[in-house]
Amino acid sequence: MNRTGARALALGAAAVLGLVAGCGQSVGQPRDDVRGGGAQQVSRAATGDHSYPLRKSDIHWSGSPSPFNAQVKLADGRRVAMHYMRGKGLFVQDYSPRTKGWSKSAVVYKTKTDACQGITLKAKDGTVAAFGDFGVYCADGEPPTESVAAVAVGPLTKWDKHLTKDFDGWEKIVVAPGGKKVTFSRGSDTLRWTKAAGFPAAR
């Protein structure tokens, strides 16, 4: 083969390789974009929508801060806030440090009775525990008739709850290292939650 023929053959091969490379790039790029978009959608679905403002209790309190609002911060930067709503019960929101916003307010315990005392929140090793109290005449100084204990783990989208009736309410929460056990106590009375079994049957 002469020099001119060899040169023409080389140029033809180069053109084919360039065409193949160009096609590979144009096909591969949208696939990467789709994969990335899918991952973002899954992430958003897993973490939930955190584009809401922080809500506060609508129950009047003359001092500051109001005991009808409570907030706790987790080690990873997330936060959990709870508040009472008049005639509706106990509500919760969680804060995402990634989106810098709160989840939509969700009910933890629904009741029409008066809110009693304050809300207590504790967090340790990814486990968040809380308690709150309600009563028919709590606004008039009567003791609570409904004491609610609640625990959430992981994405904090599901709360395990326990109701104790005609009880003065829990005073203390202890979350064990690792977050696998939570103990609620008042004097000699105790209530335990475990990650494996949850709460015991309500009494």
Side-chain angles (χ1 to χ4, degrees), residues 73-78 123 125-126:
K73 187 174 182 180
L74 282 71
D76 58 10
R78 291 182 297 164
D125 296 334

Side-chain angles (χ1 to χ4, degrees), residues 126-182:
T127 295
V128 181
F131 62 76
D133 305 296
F134 298 87
V136 179
Y137 301 110
C138 265
D140 298 326
E142 293 295 316
T145 55
E146 305 161 45
S147 297
V148 182
V151 179
V153 298
L156 307 176
T157 55
K158 183 179 179 181
W159 287 82
D160 200 2
K161 293 165 286 186
H162 184 280
L163 174 65
T164 306
K165 294 184 178 181
D166 300 318
F167 178 62
D168 285 340
W170 303 109
E171 292 180 322
K172 186 178 179 182
I173 300 173
V174 175
V175 183
K180 294 183 178 181
K181 184 175 74 172
V182 179

Side-chain angles (χ1 to χ4, degrees), residues 2-151:
N2 59 30
R3 187 178 302 173
T4 302
R7 183 178 179 186
L9 183 61
L11 288 173
V16 170
L17 287 173
L19 182 61
V20 171
C23 289
Q25 187 175 4
S26 64
V27 172
Q29 222 165 4
R31 286 180 182 171
D32 289 342
D33 292 343
V34 169
R35 189 181 299 116
Q40 289 173 1
Q41 289 175 2
V42 170
S43 176
R44 283 196 295 269
T47 58
D49 184 5
H50 289 81
S51 61
Y52 295 85
L54 177 64
R55 297 286 302 274
K56 297 287 186 178
S57 175
D58 62 351
I59 302 173
H60 175 71
W61 183 258
S62 58
S64 182
S66 168
F68 301 139
N69 299 298
Q71 191 175 143
V72 68
K73 187 174 182 180
L74 282 71
D76 58 10
R78 291 182 297 164
R79 292 182 228 163
V80 171
M82 285 188 171
H83 62 277
Y84 290 136
M85 295 297 286
R86 185 187 304 275
K88 294 181 179 178
L90 178 63
F91 289 75
V92 66
Q93 290 177 275
D94 67 274
Y95 174 84
S96 167
R98 183 176 61 84
T99 60
K100 300 186 186 306
W102 293 87
S103 64
K104 186 177 181 180
S105 180
V107 64
V108 174
Y109 177 68
K110 186 176 181 179
T111 182
K112 293 183 178 181
T113 55
D114 294 340
C116 293
Q117 304 160 149
I119 303 167
T120 297
L121 270 168
K122 292 284 184 180
K124 189 172 186 178
D125 296 334
T127 295
V128 181
F131 62 76
D133 305 296
F134 298 87
V136 179
Y137 301 110
C138 265
D140 298 326
E142 293 295 316
T145 55
E146 305 161 45
S147 297
V148 182
V151 179

